[in-house]
Amino acid sequence: MVSALWGAPLIRVCSSPVSSPSVSGPLRLVSRLSSQSSALSQSGGGTTSAASTEARSRALRRRWCPAGTMLLALVSLLSCLLPSSEAKVYSRCELARVLHDFGLDGYRGYSLADWVCLAYFASGFNTAAVDHEADGSTNNGIFQISSRRWCRNLTPNVPNMCRLYCSDLLNPNLKDTVICAMKIAQEPQGLGYWEAWRHHCQGKDLTDWVDGCDF
């Protein structure tokens, strides 16, 4: 009797399924909403991150492009104003041979020694010599040819009689320099255009300037 009384409730308790729609339903809903929220958060974060990266990239491009443009312009300007190769300081006989090969010996009545003497007292045989005057003009190259009339530098409205940049006169090749110097020698003053020649070379025995040089 006792056994029967205790067994019946146990059977009912154990055999009766616990219906929990009110518990498992909300749990599944919360889980689903949580998953969707996480996905949306990740998607939105990626979009925000990509947009932020693109904005930074555009800002960097705006910041650096003008500077790059200015740098290219500066390089282009310097390429026009600076000599195309390294400076050279000639020896006496080396310069005499080069000037002889260019035909300066006897040109306009001036000996090769006149030209070598001029080059020494004008620049010390240095092709890259540049002397800056107070008025902004320059004397350029081995013969110190002035930008006031014969070549072009940054000073506007100059005659530029030799039709070249002053930086061309700094080239150790000397071709442009000699052509321009020959043009100057055609002037009525001749080599008297150069103060260095008038003071140190004119009317003097110049044989030592080419003595021992082979041509």
Side-chain angles (χ1 to χ4, degrees):
M1 186 67 178
V2 174
S3 176
L5 288 174
W6 282 101
L10 288 175
I11 292 173
R12 284 196 301 271
V13 171
C14 295
S15 62
S16 299
V18 177
S19 177
S20 56
S22 60
V23 177
S24 61
L27 285 177
R28 286 195 297 272
L29 179 60
V30 169
S31 177
R32 188 181 302 112
L33 290 175
S34 177
S35 298
Q36 292 175 353
S37 175
S38 177
L40 288 173
S41 176
Q42 291 176 0
S43 174
T47 302
T48 302
S49 177
S52 177
T53 301
E54 179 62 23
R56 285 196 299 270
S57 178
R58 285 197 300 268
L60 286 174
R61 286 198 296 271
R62 286 195 300 269
R63 182 182 303 172
W64 289 110
C65 285
T69 302
M70 291 177 64
L71 180 60
L72 288 175
L74 179 59
V75 169
S76 298
L77 176 61
L78 290 177
S79 67
C80 293
L81 298 179
L82 295 179
S84 57
S85 54
E86 295 181 359
K88 180 177 178 62
V89 178
Y90 279 86
S91 67
R92 177 177 61 87
C93 284
E94 183 184 17
L95 179 62
R97 284 191 293 270
V98 171
L99 299 183
H100 179 272
D101 291 343
F102 276 121
L104 286 184
D105 190 13
Y107 182 76
R108 291 283 171 168
Y110 296 101
S111 68
L112 184 60
D114 280 303
W115 291 98
V116 176
C117 179
L118 166 62
Y120 176 78
F121 286 106
S123 67
F125 300 149
N126 184 359
T127 63
V130 178
D131 179 49
H132 296 267
E133 300 288 354
D135 63 358
S137 64
T138 55
N139 301 311
N140 308 275
I142 202 166
F143 290 131
Q144 290 292 277
I145 295 173
S146 176
S147 66
R148 290 172 183 164
R149 183 180 178 189
W150 301 102
C151 65
R152 179 181 178 183
N153 59 12
L154 294 178
T155 305
N157 303 321
V158 295
N160 191 13
M161 299 296 290
C162 288
R163 297 288 187 266
L164 45 72
Y165 286 100
C166 295
S167 59
D168 296 332
L169 298 172
L170 309 182
N171 195 320
N173 176 266
L174 294 186
K175 179 181 178 181
D176 291 328
T177 296
V178 169
I179 292 174
C180 189
M182 293 171 76
K183 185 182 291 291
I184 296 172
Q186 295 171 12
E187 295 288 302
Q189 283 184 288
L191 294 193
Y193 162 83
W194 283 278
E195 183 178 349
W197 181 83
R198 297 197 308 268
H199 289 174
H200 301 285
C201 310
Q202 187 176 18
K204 298 181 180 180
D205 182 5
L206 304 177
T207 54
D208 287 346
W209 287 104
V210 294
D211 186 42
C213 301
D214 298 327
F215 305 110

